[in-house]
Amino acid sequence: MFVFRKSERRVSVDEARTRTGGEPPPEAVLLDVRERPEWKSGHAPGAVHAPLTGLAAGASLPAGARGRPLVVICRSGHRSRQAAKLLAERGADAVDVKGGMNAWAAAGYTVVDERGNSGSIA
């Protein structure tokens, strides 16, 4: 289990959407750390995919996320919290999203599948 220091932050889905949306380029990258089947069935538009299992095994961030502030999301917030801690230890500016994609969808924000059609959270 990961323990967070008080300086590590979690953000709401509203703040996540504000920081990762808007005028290009957005302030931060929305980094989805769920596994490929979850990603394929539904993710936030514009998110970048980097599964936690790969990051934990030492994989690099995708090119579009390197050197940028990261807002890390998963299904419920558990894996994103782990990933944000791991990435912060590697020197990234990373925060995680409370409630994850479940909270994103519950807030009425768009979820798309791998083809850009309406998606669902698996």
Side-chain angles (χ1 to χ4, degrees):
M1 182 166 134
F2 289 90
V3 178
F4 268 68
R5 297 181 303 267
K6 287 188 178 203
S7 63
E8 293 165 334
R9 288 189 337 120
R10 304 188 84 194
V11 298
S12 68
V13 292
D14 295 328
E15 185 175 350
R17 186 169 182 247
T18 298
R19 291 186 64 193
T20 62
E23 296 296 318
E27 172 190 338
V29 172
L30 186 62
L31 185 71
D32 192 319
V33 297
R34 295 174 301 148
E35 295 304 313
R36 180 126 179 90
E38 295 171 289
W39 166 264
K40 287 173 61 174
S41 68
H43 56 273
V48 174
H49 186 225
L52 175 58
T53 52
L55 294 172
S60 298
L61 285 170
R66 292 183 198 143
R68 304 272 317 278
L70 304 171
V71 176
V72 186
I73 197 164
C74 65
R75 184 178 63 232
S76 65
H78 180 73
R79 287 174 286 178
S80 60
R81 201 167 183 187
Q82 293 175 12
K85 181 180 188 307
L86 175 75
L87 292 165
E89 288 171 352
R90 293 182 186 173
D93 176 3
V95 297
D96 80 290
V97 180
K98 291 183 282 188
M101 286 301 298
N102 287 334
W104 181 277
Y109 296 144
T110 303
V111 175
V112 296
D113 67 12
E114 67 176 336
R115 294 185 179 100
N117 298 318
S118 182
S120 62
I121 306 306

